[in-house]
Amino acid sequence: MVVKVGVAKLGNIASGVMAELLLDERADREDMMTFMATSGTKLQKEDVDRVVSNLKAWQPDFAIVVSPNGVLEGPVGAREDLKAAGIPTIVITDDVTTKKEGWEALKASGFGYIIVKADAMIGARREFLDPVEMADYNGNLVKVLALTGAFRKLQMELDKVIDQVKAGKKGAEIELPKLVLNSDNSTKGEFTNPYALAKARAAYEIASAVAGVNVKGCFMTKEWTDYVPIVTSAHEMMRAAADLCDQARELEKGCDGVIRKPHKKTGEIVSKVALISKPE
Amino acid sequence: MVVKVGVAKLGNIASGVMAELLLDERADREDMMTFMATSGTKLQKEDVDRVVSNLKAWQPDFAIVVSPNGVLEGPVGAREDLKAAGIPTIVITDDVTTKKEGWEALKASGFGYIIVKADAMIGARREFLDPVEMADYNGNLVKVLALTGAFRKLQMELDKVIDQVKAGKKGAEIELPKLVLNSDNSTKGEFTNPYALAKARAAYEIASAVAGVNVKGCFMTKEWTDYVPIVTSAHEMMRAAADLCDQARELEKGCDGVIRKPHKKTGEIVSKVALISKPE
Amino acid sequence: MVVKVGVAKLGNIASGVMAELLLDERADREDMMTFMATSGTKLQKEDVDRVVSNLKAWQPDFAIVVSPNGVLEGPVGAREDLKAAGIPTIVITDDVTTKKEGWEALKASGFGYIIVKADAMIGARREFLDPVEMADYNGNLVKVLALTGAFRKLQMELDKVIDQVKAGKKGAEIELPKLVLNSDNSTKGEFTNPYALAKARAAYEIASAVAGVNVKGCFMTKEWTDYVPIVTSAHEMMRAAADLCDQARELEKGCDGVIRKPHKKTGEIVSKVALISKPE
Amino acid sequence: MVVKVGVAKLGNIASGVMAELLLDERADREDMMTFMATSGTKLQKEDVDRVVSNLKAWQPDFAIVVSPNGVLEGPVGAREDLKAAGIPTIVITDDVTTKKEGWEALKASGFGYIIVKADAMIGARREFLDPVEMADYNGNLVKVLALTGAFRKLQMELDKVIDQVKAGKKGAEIELPKLVLNSDNSTKGEFTNPYALAKARAAYEIASAVAGVNVKGCFMTKEWTDYVPIVTSAHEMMRAAADLCDQARELEKGCDGVIRKPHKKTGEIVSKVALISKPE
Amino acid sequence: MVVKVGVAKLGNIASGVMAELLLDERADREDMMTFMATSGTKLQKEDVDRVVSNLKAWQPDFAIVVSPNGVLEGPVGAREDLKAAGIPTIVITDDVTTKKEGWEALKASGFGYIIVKADAMIGARREFLDPVEMADYNGNLVKVLALTGAFRKLQMELDKVIDQVKAGKKGAEIELPKLVLNSDNSTKGEFTNPYALAKARAAYEIASAVAGVNVKGCFMTKEWTDYVPIVTSAHEMMRAAADLCDQARELEKGCDGVIRKPHKKTGEIVSKVALISKPE
Amino acid sequence: MVVKVGVAKLGNIASGVMAELLLDERADREDMMTFMATSGTKLQKEDVDRVVSNLKAWQPDFAIVVSPNGVLEGPVGAREDLKAAGIPTIVITDDVTTKKEGWEALKASGFGYIIVKADAMIGARREFLDPVEMADYNGNLVKVLALTGAFRKLQMELDKVIDQVKAGKKGAEIELPKLVLNSDNSTKGEFTNPYALAKARAAYEIASAVAGVNVKGCFMTKEWTDYVPIVTSAHEMMRAAADLCDQARELEKGCDGVIRKPHKKTGEIVSKVALISKPE
Ligand SMILES: [Mg+2]
Ligand SMILES: [Mg+2]
Ligand SMILES: [Mg+2]
Ligand SMILES: [Mg+2]
Ligand SMILES: [Mg+2]
Ligand SMILES: [Mg+2]
Ligand SMILES: [Mg+2]
Ligand SMILES: [Mg+2]
């Protein structure tokens, strides 16, 4: 059986950039396939409709809706639409836990969700952010989410859903992830050396603090001479977080303790530590 | 007028991860929209067909086909299909210039192309590559392509096509990019400090050399105890290239010389250097 | 005239370690003298009394009470006692702005205050904190407070009070500082290169975030296997903040832009930038 | 029994900044208390008298006189005064071993002493040293003294004196430390990894060499255009020493070999190595 | 018996700078002696003759001819001359394997050879290369060749020849090395930690790629504004390679895994790993 | 006219490794030629004789005798021998200024001399020093001597002698260098940025301090468990000095201030600063 995983991307977050790649890192998995569509940054009703109707037409076993700020109208509409079509749906978004009402509604709903607190919004000011700065920031953020363990936890949750479909579960029978990724649960079990763990935890905390600084710089500061230093500092924070992750990874290399969990062609996840060893 | 840009991703390369984001880094551009679809890593005829027919249905003003190894049957089929539908099409792919026949055919064709020599294939060995390693490598590669100028050149070429559509050109009237991005043309005009330029050039050369090492490790070495050190070394090379880019960026910060070229809402590209200044 | 500055230290914060040294960095100032006493970490009534009565006996022109958590009974008692003796008194403490009631009382009082938000509490868990770790953490924190500008602002405020005494003001005539040092006002005017400023801002934000992680590790987590990684990560954050400050300083060296403001023997503050130049 | 430790600080050295904190790093020790007084940088007879008479009034079980250049009149007078009052007294100072006469007198005296050769004098030139530079230098020096083991040895010696008082010894019965801290004895037993030890030794040697460069810059060079580069280079040396210490600490983290020796509430010193373990 | 090793250096490569030192690192070996002569950079027939005739006069047991580009007339003449005198001769040179004819001739000849592919030519452009830049580049290259294992393999091969002479072999009886040093064989057996090995492999690959960039900058680019950035980037690549080697060495220190193989006075090679251990 | 420069190397110091290369960094100089001979590490009378008589036979215009510890019998004999043959001779050696008698004799003699205080002896203990460690140490030392300016000053002095010969001076008419290279004169005029100068000065001081540590480890410490950490720490010091030099060079790159002084074919020394400029 080949599980069909549908992905709708509405706008960009770093967790979304890699989602389908994380499920099939060597592109040889035979137990699943993905179809992903996006309307880029446009979130008018007609844009969302086009993405969602394409997905529905493909009839995936389950769907993922990835977006920033997953309590806004666009992403909410998309998931309701998929749900109405009987497709089990998981929301992946950046931190919405401070937006009390929308967050309570999401928690109470039948949707799965994975909230990635470290997936901080970018310093989106025209005097600062150009394509190069945007890509560099995302490079740093991808490294932080990968090396702290956040991406692994996200992938593991999605793989659990795929496994349920492979086991014959359908629709509401499928147990969907309900998970807020923070510095505790993202890093858990990902490190051999305890100081590598501490550095990864530190990186996660710093990345999470970036969001507040960028919110201040993008929405709460009027003068451009004031907000440019603020958003610039937020990107320096993310660079520092990436540097801490690099230090953590180097410590793990130093004790030959890097934990690797590749997929087999069958989708089974195997595991290894010593570099010169076979995953089992 | 709102230009419609269609993107088909067939498999993954780092240049593709960011393509549509590079065109609209702050998600506020009003002169264009994108629709992107991908079948993930599956490249069977039916997978490619689904992606392409979705794109055709949307009737984009022009299309981009992003894939690794753009001389293989899958990507070639996709672009022929789009061309047959009268849609001007640009190929973005990693280095195919050593594959003599396919490369000559592409050069001679009516397609546009952007070949990114530094977008090196990953160390795709199961004993080494798991989702975390994959994401970390792509984080490094995104940083290299961003900070050497490769992404800027790619974006500028696509923006030129958008501008032609805005100017009323259609179909064959549109001049498509024909560009092989190397250490010379990627870095040109991107740096204020000449040593930053030299470091970026060095990074580009190292990234380009990664491909050869990964080809050796993935296709030309049989024993796993032999190929694991090889692919591991290739990822260390990419990490060294990212480090050189970081050094280049820090030098540019040091002389307040970072060149920024953001988009305005109208799609116009403005430019600035001193951090505390307005782009013009 | 020689101004007499009395200092009572009750417990330790990094801002206190250096306070009197910041006022006379080369130990040659002739317009002021300091007397400082501390009961170390003991804060029983008799300990505080001994310190305060020693100070009162010396009859300083004004007094400074330095302590962590300056809304607790010990520091509050000390300053009330000094005030009752007619000595103008300034409170220097770490962040109390989240402790609403005490903070409102302090703001409304006649005391001066300097709240240093980045002077984060240490990871005071016995499984982690020994004398070496304590000293190393304080070394990092001193560097952060020095290089972000927080120490300069603190020193400038105290110098303003000294100047008022020299000008003949007494008691309630003296205007005391009322200042909460944050990433905005600490870093203001301290840097020549705008990216150095951004790195210092980033460092200040990270240092400020350390407090929350250490509060979690010291007061809100029960199992030692859980809290040890938390407090360890907080110290990694402070090390990352110190590293960012070092980067900022190196950028300033790179453009020969380090701003220096030494005291003359007379207490006058002079200023210079180019390393090979005379302060004026 | 609660041992009373009196401390007189006359002028500033880095060893003095931390002395009482090293004895009670978590501020919960119940077997001792400290009282410390300082006249800041003023060393007139009346200043020293005020400090010493305050100490004597408190009747400590033993006293510590911390100062730079402990063979000068001020510190010598203070310790003679304390000795005359029957208070066992320990001198902590920076390197006096090259000042032959004073050093021989101190060795032959009944005082205890701890000479810290790496506690190098600062680059005290007005064109260079302002409050920020002063604090940053001390931050580096604190890190060097902490991470090489010098602070541990100093603390251990003081704790041995406290233990003797707790055991009922008094006055001349108490054996006082007589110790010159150098790269050999400071680093001994402080490291798990032999290269970490070597790096710490290297840092100690470099820090010790700083003093000579600053003496040249402060006392033996007349032209300011000549001495500014010299004292600047001395601070670069201390920064390099701090960096070596950081490398040593990171190596120790890498093998989970950081040696920690916290105090219990009772003053007992316990010990541990693996981060996730209980001190015993 | 004392083996006589003659060395002719014709021009400079980094492998030659150290050759005789590698054989006797502590200058106490009693089983061999060396005589080396060089005409510096001059390679006229008379210059080569002087060097070679001096060597022949000394009657070494075997000779080494070190030069860049060992298929040129000068080095070829020198080795033919030595061979004609009955002296077994080994060629040490940088990469000649792309110069097909000369390389085939060398392989087929009776000479020994050691080709060091990473011993890349320097960026010999007058606008860039002065004595300081030249020495710094060679410093980096010496570190790369030392820390990747290339120098060890070169030394081991020469020691094997010395051992044969000590065993009584003469002239054509002596088996001479025939070895092309690449990233595989240079690094083999030199590292305890597998990531250190990977970093060394990466460094070797980067160093090998330097040659191509310098050839482009020195021989294939006309405009000085074009070739200066190219040769500058090649030196940045070598600096990055040296940095990777440093990382590899630090990883080995971190696990106390540095492999050391000193000579005894007798010339015997002993071996050790733990720093605090005796070689055996 | 082509000046003939003869070089005798007796034993190894880093200053000698590069001496003739520094005079002709691009191997295209037409106004001079060198002949160099060495007996490796052997310094018996017959070894020295062979080297010296080879030199004399070539009749150089002047000669250089390079050796460690240039007040020992071997090097002294060699220079006396050359002098007796009427050849003006310059001694290059590491620090002999502490060896009072020999040093006074050298100063008073007719020989030229260049004493390089930072050219510190290696940690020549068999438990520590193998060929790899030896080469790595020399790599670091070469970088320190190059980047602090020591090599430039050495080269300039030798070039001045060549110029005198070209101007027709002979024998005793030639003014020979008499120079002790220290942190003051080595670094003078070599840097654009004043902090780069300070870092280079710091590096030179540290390198100079290495010698004392290695003397202690090699000659004054008996137990191998004691001296291995000492010589290891000396090599860490040299690595730290090389790191400071690298920082200095990077600062100079950052302000495009690297000073380059290449030779022309004629031997004339030209000069430039901006990377993209012609030397003049
Ligand atoms: Mg967001
Ligand atoms: Mg804006
Ligand atoms: Mg590829
Ligand atoms: Mg606090
Ligand atoms: Mg001192
Ligand atoms: Mg070559
Ligand atoms: Mg030229
Ligand atoms: Mg020497």
Side-chain angles (χ1 to χ4, degrees), chain C residues 2-9 16-30 32-38 55 58 64, chain D residues 7-13 16-17 36-52 54 65-68 72 74-75 78 134:
Chain C
V2 180
V3 180
K4 295 167 74 174
V5 183
V7 186
K9 287 195 196 169
V17 163
M18 292 279 148
E20 73 271 21
L21 301 176
L22 294 171
L23 297 177
D24 190 14
E25 71 276 9
R26 275 173 313 108
D28 68 350
R29 199 168 160 181
E30 293 167 348
M32 58 148 271
M33 59 193 301
T34 56
F35 180 67
M36 190 266 276
T38 176
L55 268 202
W58 188 52
I64 302 164
Chain D
V7 185
K9 288 195 195 170
L10 309 170
N12 181 59
I13 59 172
V17 163
M36 189 267 275
T38 177
S39 58
T41 59
K42 295 289 174 294
L43 294 178
Q44 309 287 40
K45 193 170 178 343
E46 67 189 57
D47 302 309
V48 173
D49 283 355
R50 185 172 56 250
V51 167
V52 170
N54 268 319
V65 177
V66 191
S67 77
L72 288 188
M134 181 278 300

Side-chain angles (χ1 to χ4, degrees), chain E residues 54 127 133 143 272 278, chain F residues 54 127 136 249 278:
Chain E
N54 268 318
E127 293 86 355
E133 183 74 42
K143 287 176 70 73
K272 58 172 287 189
K278 283 284 197 190
Chain F
N54 268 318
E127 293 84 357
D136 183 43
R249 190 77 166 178
K278 280 285 196 189

Side-chain angles (χ1 to χ4, degrees), chain D residues 12 106 130 175 195 233 246 266 275:
Chain D
N12 181 59
L106 178 54
D130 73 343
E175 198 174 351
Y195 293 96
S233 78
D246 187 72
T266 59
L275 179 62

Side-chain angles (χ1 to χ4, degrees), chain E residues 55-122:
Chain E
L55 267 202
K56 286 195 294 192
W58 188 53
Q59 295 188 288
D61 293 298
F62 70 98
I64 303 165
V65 177
V66 190
S67 77
N69 205 350
V71 295
L72 288 186
E73 195 182 337
V76 169
R79 68 186 179 236
E80 294 293 349
D81 212 358
L82 288 161
K83 187 189 191 181
I87 302 171
T89 298
I90 301 160
V91 174
I92 298 180
T93 190
D94 55 6
D95 192 6
V96 296
T97 59
T98 55
K99 291 153 192 173
K100 209 169 174 191
E101 277 179 46
W103 167 226
E104 289 303 325
L106 178 55
K107 274 210 294 189
S109 76
F111 295 107
Y113 57 82
I114 302 174
I115 314 291
V116 186
K117 291 186 85 80
D119 195 348
M121 80 164 280
I122 204 166

